[in-house]
């Protein structure tokens, strides 16, 4: 268990008033985590206009008070938007109104959270929106093992992009993890759900057989057909429990009407308390493995169709009997044996005892606390270097551009002299020259600099994991190594590891998986680059830096002088990498981006459209002007 208490948001895609296994899971885990001292918010759509109104008012007026309330030992439920009531006949969440997304974004941007735990984050849903806007560590939990055609076929690419933001993934059942692996490869930790404590089981006379009608309708038909074929001399009674009033089918035989009751109940635990046997007869369309979890915890013997999540819980028949989906005869034979043989029921219950002892919400909370703690331990220590901070605290502010290129880069035609002159004219106090796979331009600039600080740097292309910048290095780093090997070489030189445009899909960039593998060695992340064409990529970089407490940097990525300083960092003056990194922690990013189309057009003209001879003549003229202006000024 982590020593620090965390601020945690649990997000469900279903209206909070809906009765389903996902909401039950969220409620029980939230209660247990809050009882342990964590500050827990439950974020959910809601059918209550009053709850939604109160939530929006609290988020907009004083969001921190919500965390204070959550610290009182009970989770606080936030209704983020009204949705259509949940229908038991429909497994998915209702369509997501626009105002729900806005409220979730406002909530997550105004409340400082350590963990955002999303359940069933398939798009479109409240959970997928929360994952998109989260600035915290992200945990995703997947529960029901059914194929979601919309998410896996139509919006698979979007879901894969969203799921890449997950720092940890869990599945309620191995069957769920196996299904997800087919579409969204990743590491899924199986955490079997818990169940509420139940009293010791005692047999009933006659034997009570229960079906909780949350599977597809065909399951009920299979169950009733099996009851018709039971020997007449057996002593039993059956109950069909449903969240909505369910009448007996008109085709139900008179002989069975006296032995089968149809009851309305939203609480499966209450129904199972008076049961000896429970039947799950799904053919795979709408499985409800949580019913099996509750049954095993209550000491009720299950009879279930041979489906992966059911077999998983039943130990392939060790803790209950199984039959092929739709096989009425085998189901009837299993029921007949269990009704007639109390010793068989006792053996099945005894086989389930080792599993039953683990089916607690306390154990589930333990496992999630371990995951949260492991993720929190990966965050950078935001306290920094106290000695370096003391040295720079009284120094003046300077403007710094951390990303630019000279004609020592293959894709840039800006001479060093022109770059230095432009940097001075734009009031920059320091620049980092980050030529592609080369440091000769940076070394030349440092030697010629007059009144401006030059950080020698290199933007290195790795083998297949994007680009990374080494700041404060002295030796060229060869391209083509792996990301860890490149980082190791930067560190060997005493440099800082700076990740440029990390999530810009238009560039060669490391993805979440690559960055997560080297988190401890990343010193800073570029969170704003004006050459990034899609703003969401910069926002994604900012969220990544915030969640892991990594210092944020920015730079113009200028390939032409006109783009220089279009974004700059205002920070305290520094000497060397330690003071630079400490100053960066409290720096401000000042943005005045030049037109992307304009600077890209200039880059094309200077590097591609102009013949080689004309490029050389143009370079010479610009160098003469820059050096002449510098001499006249001196």
């Amino acid at each position: 268990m982590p020593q620090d208490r965390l601020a945690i948001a649990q997000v469900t895609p279903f209206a909070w008033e809906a009765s389903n296994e996902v909401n039950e899971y969220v409620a029980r885990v939230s209660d247990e985590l809050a009882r342990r001292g964590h500050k827990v918010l439950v974020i959910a759509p809601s059918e209550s206009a009053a709850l939604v109104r109160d939530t929006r008012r609290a988020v907009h007026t004083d969001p921190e008070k919500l965390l204070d309330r959550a610290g009182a030992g009970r989770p606080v439920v936030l209704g983020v938007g009204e949705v259509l009531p949940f229908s038991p006949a429909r497994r998915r969440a209702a369509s997501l109104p626009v105002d729900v997304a806005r409220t979730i974004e406002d909530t997550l941007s105004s409340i400082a959270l350590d963990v955002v735990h999303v359940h069933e984050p398939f798009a479109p849903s409240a959970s997928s929106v929360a994952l998109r806007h989260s600035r915290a560590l992200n945990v995703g939990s997947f529960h029901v093992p059914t194929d979601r055609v919309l998410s896996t076929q139509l919006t698979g690419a979007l879901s894969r992009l969203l799921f890449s933001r997950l720092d940890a993934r869990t599945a309620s059942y191995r069957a769920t993890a196996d299904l997800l692996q087919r579409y969204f490869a990743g590491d899924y930790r199986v955490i079997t759900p818990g169940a509420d404590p139940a009293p010791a089981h005692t047999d009933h006379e006659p034997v009570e057989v229960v079906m909780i009608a949350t599977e597809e309708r065909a399951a009920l038909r299979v169950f009733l057909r099996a009851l018709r074929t039971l020997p007449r001399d057996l002593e039993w009674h059956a109950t069909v429990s449903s969240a909505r009033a369910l009448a007996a089918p008109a085709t139900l035989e008179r002989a069975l009407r006296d032995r089968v009751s149809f009851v309305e109940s939203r609480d499966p635990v209450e129904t199972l308390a008076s049961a000896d046997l429970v039947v799950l007869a799904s053919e795979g369309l709408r499985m409800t493995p949580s019913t099996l979890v509750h049954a095993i915890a209550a000491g009720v013997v299950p009879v279930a169709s041979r489906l992966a999540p059911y077999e998983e819980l039943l130990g392939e028949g060790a803790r209950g009997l199984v039959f092929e989906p739709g096989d009425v005869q085998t189901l009837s034979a299993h029921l007949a044996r269990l009704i007639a043989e109390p010793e068989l029921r006792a053996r099945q219950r005894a086989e389930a005892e080792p599993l039953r002892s683990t089916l607690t919400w306390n154990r589930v909370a333990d496992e999630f606390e371990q995951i949260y703690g492991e993720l929190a331990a990966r965050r950078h220590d935001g306290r920094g270097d106290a000695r370096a901070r003391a040295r720079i605290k009284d120094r003046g502010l300077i403007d710094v551009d951390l990303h630019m290129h000279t004609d020592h880069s293959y894709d840039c035609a800006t001479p060093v002299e022109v770059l230095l002159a432009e940097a001075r004219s734009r009031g920059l106090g320091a620049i980092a020259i980050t030529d592609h796979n080369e440091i000769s331009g940076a070394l030349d600039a440092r030697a010629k600099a007059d009144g401006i600080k030059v950080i020698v740097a290199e933007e290195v292309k790795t083998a297949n994991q994007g680009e990374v910048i080494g700041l404060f290095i002295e030796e060229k780093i060869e391209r083509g190594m792996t990301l860890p090997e490149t980082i190791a070489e930067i560190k060997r030189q005493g440099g800082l590891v700076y990740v440029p445009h990390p999530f810009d899909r238009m560039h060669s960039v490391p993805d979440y998986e690559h960055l997560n593998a080297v988190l401890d060695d990343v010193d800073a992340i570029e969170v704003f680059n004006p050459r990034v064409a899609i703003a969401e990529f910069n926002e994604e970089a900012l969220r990544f830096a915030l969640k892991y407490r990594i210092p944020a940097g920015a730079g113009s990525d200028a390939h032409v002088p006109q783009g220089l300083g279009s974004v700059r960092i205002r920070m305290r003056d520094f000497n060397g990498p330690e003071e630079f990194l400490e100053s960066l922690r409290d720096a401000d990013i000042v943005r005045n981006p030049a037109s992307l189309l304009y600077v890209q057009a200039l880059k094309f003209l200077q590097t591609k459209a102009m013949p080689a001879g004309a490029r050389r003549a143009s370079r010479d003229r610009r160098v003469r002007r820059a050096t002449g202006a510098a001499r006249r000024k001196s």
Side-chain angles (χ1 to χ4, degrees), residues 582-602:
E582 194 57 40
S583 181
L584 189 62
R585 295 182 191 280
D586 299 322
D588 293 323
I589 296 175
V590 181
R591 299 187 291 179
N592 183 25
S595 167
L596 176 61
L597 179 61
Y598 172 63
V599 295
Q600 288 294 82
L602 287 175

Side-chain angles (χ1 to χ4, degrees), residues 24 195-196 198-202 204 208-212 239 241 263 265-280 288-303:
E24 178 193 15
D196 292 333
H201 182 272
T202 56
H204 300 84
E208 183 67 28
V209 185
V210 164
M211 165 169 269
I212 298 175
T239 297
S241 173
V263 301
S265 174
R266 288 181 173 269
D267 187 358
V269 176
E270 180 183 30
T271 304
L272 289 167
S274 59
D276 298 298
L277 308 176
V278 64
V279 174
L280 291 94
T288 57
S290 64
T291 300
L292 270 184
V293 172
H294 288 302
I296 293 170
V300 178
V301 177
V303 183

Side-chain angles (χ1 to χ4, degrees), residues 462-463 465-468 481-488 510 514-515 518:
T462 65
Q465 297 165 311
E467 295 171 322
V468 63
M481 295 188 290
T482 66
L483 181 61
E485 289 170 342
T486 305
I487 287 175
H514 297 142
L515 285 180
V518 296

Side-chain angles (χ1 to χ4, degrees), residues 122 144-153 179 182-184 284-285 287:
F122 295 95
V144 183
T146 54
D147 195 349
R148 297 161 177 81
V149 175
L150 179 63
S151 290
T152 57
Q153 303 295 331
L179 177 64
R182 290 167 47 192
Y183 301 102
F184 311 109
L285 181 61
M287 295 171 282

Side-chain angles (χ1 to χ4, degrees), residues 429-453:
I431 57 175
I433 296 181
T434 59
D435 286 327
H436 293 288
N437 310 302
E438 185 57 71
I439 65 167
S440 56
L443 293 172
D444 187 26
R446 186 173 64 182
K448 295 175 178 177
D450 182 12
I452 190 168
K453 189 171 297 184

Side-chain angles (χ1 to χ4, degrees), residues 96-171:
L96 195 69
V98 175
D99 63 332
V100 174
R102 175 58 61 85
T103 304
I104 292 173
E105 181 180 3
D106 291 345
T107 301
L108 297 184
S109 61
S110 60
I111 299 177
L113 295 166
D114 296 294
V115 177
V116 171
H117 189 158
V118 292
H119 298 261
E120 305 284 34
F122 295 95
S125 69
S127 294
S128 68
V129 170
L131 184 55
R132 177 185 176 189
H133 293 292
S134 170
R135 299 182 176 189
L137 300 162
N138 299 317
V139 178
S141 287
F142 302 85
H143 302 281
V144 183
T146 54
D147 195 349
R148 297 161 177 81
V149 175
L150 179 63
S151 290
T152 57
Q153 303 295 331
L154 301 182
T155 63
L158 175 60
S159 292
R160 276 188 288 274
L161 177 60
L162 283 172
F163 293 173
S164 70
R165 298 177 181 178
L166 292 171
D167 301 288
R169 308 183 190 196
T170 75

Side-chain angles (χ1 to χ4, degrees), residues 38-86:
H38 299 288
K39 297 180 178 181
V40 183
L41 301 175
V42 174
I43 297 177
S46 175
E47 299 166 13
S48 168
L51 176 60
V52 172
R53 185 173 57 252
D54 291 345
T55 295
R56 290 176 177 168
R57 184 184 301 116
V59 168
H60 291 140
T61 56
D62 196 349
E64 290 305 317
K65 277 190 176 180
L66 292 172
L67 278 184
D68 293 339
R69 286 171 51 201
R74 292 183 60 83
V76 172
V77 177
L78 304 182
V80 293
E82 296 179 67
V83 297
L84 295 173
F86 177 84

